[in-house]
Amino acid sequence: MTLSLLCLAGDGIGPEIMAATKEVVEAACAKSGDSVILTDKDIGFAALNAGYSTIPESVIEAAHAVDGVILGPVSHNAYPPKEEGGLNPSGVLRKELDLYANIRPAKSFDGLPTPTGAPVDLVIFRENLEGFYADRNLYAGTGEFMPVPGVAMSMRLITERGSERIARAAFDFAGGNGRKKVTAVHKANVMRTSDGLFLEVVRRIAAEHPDIQYDEVLVDAAAALLVRDPDRFDVIVTTNMFGDILSDLSTELAGGLGLAASLNLGSENVAAQAQHGSAPDIAGQDRANPTSLVGSAAMLLGHLGLGRAETLIEQALKTAIANPLTRTADLGGPLGTRAFASVLVDFIQKADA
Ligand code: IPM
Ligand code: MG
């Protein structure tokens, strides 16, 4: 199978972790007997400095035309105002490509200790287009406003359609991947209308999957339980902001945000995305750990039907991270970004056919 993928390196460490990711993707596809066409386009400061916005229209058009997107980190906090082209590429791409599900596995690596000592193996399904995040809401008129000086208000959007799409994605994933339980995380004891609607829809979808256990946990309790007993979670389905926060907590508990993969899934498009930021302080120094973007690209290949290539990359990451001598500096290892990529390529090339 031949896939066409659009590579958007982004800012800071983006170019160097994207180079590493492309090398690993090409090696895995060559080993699996598949082929991949990788096209690069500029976003972020590279696009802004060339006279475009941080996410040019041409990039959005290109993203619609390919099988998938690999999205690097962006320094959106350092961008100029929207009126001067400073848009958040990840929010715009999610909206323009209708990427309604943000899938975030949190899984600890053998040989790498976790902060609590407990292993972690869960997946968060975060609704990706609604909630308080107006930069990607599909419905005009939502977002933040200041009715009078000194009073700011945020509108939270929760729809039946959005809740159903993310719930179906979570239960379909659980059923298709041997997961036993889906937990809805919410705050319906306070946000009775919005989270009340979310739970009503998730319960209806849960009833269609009697083979999968279903339960509900309040978001504050979920944060505590993730620290105290992460093993009680399997698949979590939740709304946008709670998923944003709990996915960083979960992946940190699994060994580090810098190791966490993520996939933005829509009905027509899909985008792999590193879960971490652009780390400008170490940009260009060959020090960045590319695991998050590499793992996200592996998820993308698997979603697009290249399961063997996905497995080859995931196995190479596990083997490299299990050995202190083949880790990057953030994990106490000796390798730079390029050397780590070479180790992954070597493991892939030496893997059983
Ligand atoms: C994430 C990030 C983004 C978000 C930021 C970069 C806009 O936090 O993908 O988790 O808020 O969704
Ligand atoms: Mg986040």
Side-chain angles (χ1 to χ4, degrees), residues 94 102 104 126 133 243-245 247-248 257 275:
R94 289 172 184 174
N102 191 205
R104 296 193 157 178
R126 166 195 177 187
Y133 291 25
D244 188 16
I245 296 165
S247 56
D248 281 17
L257 184 61
Q275 275 209 45

Coordinates of all heavy atoms in Angstrom, one line a residue, residues 94 102 104 126 133 243-245 247-248 257 275, ligand 2:
R94 N -7.9 21.0 13.4 CA -8.9 20.2 14.0 C -10.3 20.6 13.5 O -11.1 19.7 13.1 CB -8.9 20.2 15.5 CG -7.7 19.5 16.1 CD -7.5 19.8 17.6 NE -6.3 19.2 18.1 CZ -5.8 19.4 19.3 NH1 -6.5 20.1 20.2 NH2 -4.7 18.8 19.7
N102 N -9.7 13.1 19.7 CA -8.3 13.2 20.1 C -8.0 11.9 20.9 O -8.6 11.8 22.0 CB -8.1 14.5 20.9 CG -6.6 14.8 21.1 OD1 -6.3 15.5 22.0 ND2 -5.8 14.4 20.2
R104 N -5.6 9.6 22.9 CA -4.3 9.8 23.7 C -4.0 8.6 24.6 O -4.5 8.5 25.7 CB -4.4 11.1 24.5 CG -4.5 12.3 23.5 CD -4.3 13.6 24.2 NE -3.8 14.6 23.2 CZ -3.6 15.8 23.4 NH1 -3.7 16.3 24.6 NH2 -3.2 16.6 22.4
R126 N -10.7 12.1 23.9 CA -11.1 13.4 24.2 C -11.9 14.0 23.1 O -11.4 14.0 21.9 CB -9.8 14.2 24.4 CG -9.9 15.7 24.4 CD -8.6 16.4 24.3 NE -8.7 17.9 24.2 CZ -7.6 18.6 23.9 NH1 -6.4 18.1 23.6 NH2 -7.8 19.9 23.9
Y133 N -13.4 25.4 24.1 CA -12.4 25.7 23.2 C -12.9 26.3 21.9 O -13.1 25.7 20.9 CB -11.5 24.5 22.9 CG -10.7 24.0 24.1 CD1 -11.1 24.3 25.4 CD2 -9.5 23.3 23.9 CE1 -10.3 23.8 26.5 CE2 -8.7 22.8 24.9 CZ -9.2 23.1 26.2 OH -8.4 22.7 27.3
G243 N -10.4 16.3 28.9 CA -9.4 15.4 28.2 C -8.1 16.1 28.0 O -7.0 15.4 28.1
D244 N -8.1 17.3 27.7 CA -6.8 18.1 27.6 C -6.0 18.0 28.9 O -4.8 17.6 28.8 CB -7.1 19.5 27.3 CG -5.9 20.4 26.9 OD1 -4.9 19.8 26.6 OD2 -6.0 21.6 26.9
I245 N -6.6 18.2 30.0 CA -5.9 18.2 31.3 C -5.6 16.7 31.7 O -4.4 16.4 32.0 CB -6.8 18.9 32.3 CG1 -7.0 20.3 32.0 CG2 -6.2 18.7 33.7 CD1 -8.1 21.0 32.7
S247 N -5.2 14.1 30.0 CA -4.2 13.4 29.1 C -2.8 13.7 29.5 O -1.9 12.9 29.5 CB -4.5 13.6 27.6 OG -4.5 15.0 27.3
D248 N -2.6 15.0 29.8 CA -1.2 15.4 30.3 C -0.9 14.7 31.6 O 0.2 14.2 31.8 CB -1.1 16.9 30.4 CG -0.9 17.6 29.1 OD1 -1.2 17.0 28.0 OD2 -0.5 18.8 29.1
L257 N 5.3 13.2 29.5 CA 4.5 13.8 28.3 C 5.3 13.7 27.0 O 4.7 13.5 26.0 CB 4.2 15.3 28.7 CG 3.3 16.0 27.7 CD1 1.9 15.4 27.6 CD2 3.2 17.5 28.2
Q275 N 2.3 15.2 21.7 CA 1.5 15.8 22.8 C 2.2 16.9 23.5 O 1.5 17.6 24.3 CB 1.1 14.7 23.8 CG -0.1 13.8 23.5 CD -0.8 13.3 24.7 OE1 -1.0 14.0 25.7 NE2 -1.1 12.0 24.6
Ligands
MG2 MG -3.0 20.1 26.0

